[in-house]
Amino acid sequence: MAHDRSSEKWLSHGSDTADTAPLLVPRLAYFAAVARHEHVTRAAQELGVPQSTLSRAVVRLEQDLGVALFARKGRTVSLTPAGRTFLASVERALGEVERAAESVRADADPHAGKVAFGFLHTMGSETVPGLLRAFRADHPRVRFTLVQNYGEAMLGGLRTGELDLCLTSPVPDAPDLVARRLDEQRLRLVVPDDHRLASRKRVRLAEAADEYFVTLEPGYGLRRITDDLCAQAGFTPRVAFEGEEAETLRGLVAAGLGVALLPPPAVARPGVVELTVTAPRAVREIGVAWLDGHPDTPPVAAFKRFLLSRRGQLLPD
C-alpha cells in the first residue's frame, strides 16, 4: 500500500498540464545534456554545474513528469523509451529557443540590426526613401521593416510593439508616448483644372465653403486637420467622397468630383490645379513618436538620433 501511495504522489505532479511547463523548462537543458552524454559526471562538466545539482534536477524532472526518463547504473545512464520520446521534443524546443535568441540578438546588432518604422502614406514616395538613403550612408547594413498606415493605427503599433518609431501627423499628445516635432508641410487647395478658382494662385479657404470636398476617412490625421481648418474658415465641409490615400483623392478632384486639402504631390498630376491657401494658415506638423520608457536597441537609437537631427530638414524642398 505504501508503494501504491508513492506512485499516486509521483503521478500527481504531471496531472495539471497548465502548471507543468514552468516546472519543466529550467531542467530541459540539464536533461538533454545527460541524455547526450549518458553520463552524469560528463554532463555536469559540460554544463559547469555540480554533479549533485544536475542529478537532483533530473530526478525532479522525472518526478514532475511522473515518468522515468533514465535507467541508471552508477553514474552511467541510458534513456528509457519514454526518455527517447521526450528527448526528441526537448531538442526541438531547445532549438527553437536558440533560434529565437539568435533572432533577437541579430535584430539588436548595432551594425546590422532591425528597425520597425511606420510612416504616413503621403510620405512613402519621396520623403521616407530619401531619409533611408541618407541614414544608410553611415549604417549600410541596418535593416528596416516598413509600415505605411494612418496616424492612429501607427500609434497603436507603437503600443503593441509592432513599431519602434513612426512619422505621423498631427504630432501626438499622449501620456504613454514621446513625440518630437520635426517639420511642417504646407497644404494646398486642389481643384479641377476647369474650376472657377483654377486661374488663381492663392485663395482663402472660405472661398471654397460652398464646394464639395473629397477627404480621407475619419481617423486619418489629414482628415482631422481638414475639418479643423475648415472650421477656422467658418464652415463645415460638405464631404462627397472619403478615401484612404491622397493620390486617389487627387484623381477624384481631377474627375470633377470635388476639391481637397492635400500636401504637395511627389509628381505633378494633370487635370488639377494646386492653390496656396492664404487664410487660415494651412499646414500640418510632422513629428516622430515612440513609446515612452521603451528601451531602444542600438539600431533604433541610431535611427532616432538621425531623425531628430533632421528637424526643419525632413521634407524635400
Side-chain angles (χ1 to χ4, degrees):
M1 291 297 293
H3 175 74
D4 290 342
R5 285 194 297 271
S6 175
S7 297
E8 289 168 4
K9 183 178 180 182
W10 176 285
L11 292 172
S12 69
H13 286 283
S15 60
D16 188 351
T17 55
D19 296 333
T20 300
L23 296 171
L24 303 185
V25 168
R27 305 183 186 111
L28 297 184
Y30 286 178
F31 162 73
V34 174
R36 187 165 55 251
H37 289 283
E38 295 189 335
H39 197 280
V40 176
T41 301
R42 288 196 290 269
Q45 290 170 346
E46 177 193 292
L47 295 171
V49 300
Q51 180 180 314
S52 58
T53 299
L54 181 58
S55 296
R56 284 195 300 270
V58 172
V59 169
R60 284 297 306 275
L61 176 62
E62 290 177 310
Q63 290 175 343
D64 290 335
L65 286 173
V67 177
L69 301 174
F70 294 105
R72 291 165 173 80
K73 187 174 182 181
R75 291 189 177 87
T76 301
V77 297
S78 60
L79 287 167
T80 63
R84 283 193 295 273
T85 299
F86 190 57
L87 178 63
S89 295
V90 167
E91 288 179 331
R92 286 195 296 272
L94 293 175
E96 282 297 316
V97 170
E98 183 57 33
R99 282 188 287 275
E102 286 297 325
S103 177
V104 296
R105 282 195 289 263
D107 287 350
D109 184 287
H111 305 292
K114 185 175 72 174
V115 179
F117 181 45
F119 52 92
L120 300 168
H121 289 281
T122 51
M123 309 192 78
S125 61
E126 190 172 0
T127 300
V128 168
L131 288 172
L132 297 182
R133 181 177 63 247
F135 177 74
R136 284 172 64 95
D138 293 324
H139 303 82
R141 295 169 55 208
V142 169
R143 297 167 290 126
F144 282 84
T145 296
L146 302 177
V147 176
Q148 290 179 268
N149 217 323
Y150 66 97
E152 287 301 319
M154 287 192 295
L155 301 186
L158 293 176
R159 293 181 172 110
T160 61
E162 177 190 1
L163 295 176
D164 298 309
L165 302 164
C166 72
L167 286 181
T168 189
S169 177
V171 180
D173 181 13
D176 60 335
L177 301 175
V178 180
R180 297 288 183 267
R181 180 186 180 278
L182 297 180
D183 215 334
E184 66 177 31
Q185 186 176 47
R186 286 195 171 274
L187 302 178
R188 300 170 178 176
L189 183 67
V190 184
V191 302
D193 60 7
D194 60 354
H195 191 271
R196 62 182 176 85
L197 297 173
S199 62
R200 304 265 298 274
K201 291 186 177 180
R202 295 175 177 80
V203 66
R204 290 177 294 107
L205 188 56
E207 295 179 70
D210 294 333
E211 301 290 336
Y212 283 102
F213 276 71
V214 296
T215 71
L216 296 180
E217 295 177 349
Y220 284 72
L222 187 56
R223 171 61 179 274
R224 189 157 66 251
I225 292 169
T226 296
D227 291 345
D228 289 346
L229 288 172
C230 290
Q232 291 177 47
F235 69 96
T236 298
R238 296 188 297 169
V239 177
F241 294 92
E242 296 175 332
E244 297 181 343
E245 207 277 320
E247 288 311 302
T248 299
L249 300 187
R250 270 195 176 81
L252 295 173
V253 172
L257 299 175
V259 302
L261 276 171
L262 295 174
V267 178
R269 185 184 185 110
V272 301
V273 175
E274 309 218 358
L275 307 175
T276 298
V277 178
T278 58
R281 187 168 182 266
V283 298
R284 66 170 179 172
E285 292 188 333
I286 307 293
V288 59
W290 60 89
L291 191 63
D292 191 19
H294 186 73
D296 293 332
T297 63
V300 170
F303 190 57
K304 182 188 292 184
R305 288 193 299 271
F306 168 79
L307 290 175
L308 293 174
S309 76
R310 305 284 291 197
R311 285 190 181 98
Q313 308 170 47
L314 182 74
L315 302 172
D317 296 331

